[in-house]
């Protein structure tokens, strides 16, 4: 049993659930990403579904310390991980999660829902909120950065979303939107239901940024994306991405 727990802590190869990717040396954004390893949740929980224990073990692992130290990697959560995201982590582990994003990495949540929003709110300090009532219409992919009267955040649709349909009907499996008014500044909204008010979106990309204050021993601190843009020119700020896919995107991994 101790060996099985150690296997989970080290992030050895195993079954699906949580995946890590890294960009090949010299690769640019958009190029194919190479598989680094799989987190073996089956070793940790002796089950076929990912558990809170598994995800907590991941964030508390030596592997995640390594992943959090540099850019440019993607951590992918499949739909079966939605209920396994821990809202409570030790302060040090929660900070490690923020550092992972703040060093230019990405986390993708496929099949995201209310628990994903609570997880992000708990550890990133966001205020993501579902609409006050269930959506009554489908969602359309945004076509441009600005629509007159549309108060959603600007759209900068990632290339990976190009294959998705132009509209998502209410019958889409696992549909779980978030109000656009509750999203941080500079969030890229992929779909929304404008002109419905409050406007909501089941797919968006938010940015989490960290800056390094002047001084060799200064701790990295959270800043918003607009502040980071200017500081990045000085080499003192990086932003990572959280990709929220609030429906079951078959083949999204």
């Amino acid at each position: 049993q101790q060996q099985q727990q150690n296997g989970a802590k080290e992030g050895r190869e195993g079954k699906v659930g949580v995946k890590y990717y890294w960009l090949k040396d010299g690769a640019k954004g958009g190029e194919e990403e190479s598989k680094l390893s799989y987190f073996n949740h089956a070793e940790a929980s002796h089950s076929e579904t990912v558990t809170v224990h598994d995800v907590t073990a991941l964030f508390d692992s030596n592997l995640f310390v390594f992943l959090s130290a540099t850019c440019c990697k993607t951590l992918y959560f499949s739909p079966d991980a939605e209920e396994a995201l821990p809202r409570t982590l030790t302060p040090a582990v929660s900070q490690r999660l923020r550092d992972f994003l703040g060093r230019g990495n990405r986390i993708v949540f496929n099949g995201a829902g209310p628990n994903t929003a609570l997880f992000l709110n708990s550890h990133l300090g966001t205020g993501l909120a579902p609409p006050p009532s269930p959506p009554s219409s489908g969602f359309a992919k945004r076509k441009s950065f600005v629509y007159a009267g549309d108060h959603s955040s600007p759209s900068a649709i990632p290339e990976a979303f190009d294959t998705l349909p132009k509209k998502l009907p209410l019958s889409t499996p696992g549909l779980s939107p978030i109000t656009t008014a509750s999203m941080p500044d500079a969030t890229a909204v992929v779909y929304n239901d404008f002109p419905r008010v409050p406007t909501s979106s089941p797919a968006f990309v938010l940015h989490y940024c960290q800056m390094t204050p002047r001084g060799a021993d200064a701790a990295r601190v959270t800043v918003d994306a607009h502040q980071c843009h200017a500081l990045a020119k000085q080499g003192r700020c990086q932003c990572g991405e959280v990709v929220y896919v609030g429906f079951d995107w078959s083949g999204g991994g």
Side-chain angles (χ1 to χ4, degrees), residues 51 73 83 90 93 100 121 128 155 158 169-171 223:
T51 68
K73 297 165 288 288
E83 295 302 323
T90 66
V93 174
F100 175 81
N121 291 346
L128 301 176
S155 179
L170 288 177
S171 59
V223 295

Side-chain angles (χ1 to χ4, degrees), residues 117-129:
L118 291 172
F119 171 78
L120 296 173
N121 291 346
S122 296
H123 302 297
L124 301 187
T126 51
L128 301 176

Side-chain angles (χ1 to χ4, degrees), residues 22-24 26-34 72 74 106 158-160 162 241:
W22 64 294
L23 280 172
K24 297 177 182 178
K28 297 179 180 179
E31 293 190 15
E32 183 178 357
E33 293 179 339
S34 298
C72 301
T74 295
R106 180 190 302 118
E159 185 176 336
D162 287 347
E241 294 180 343

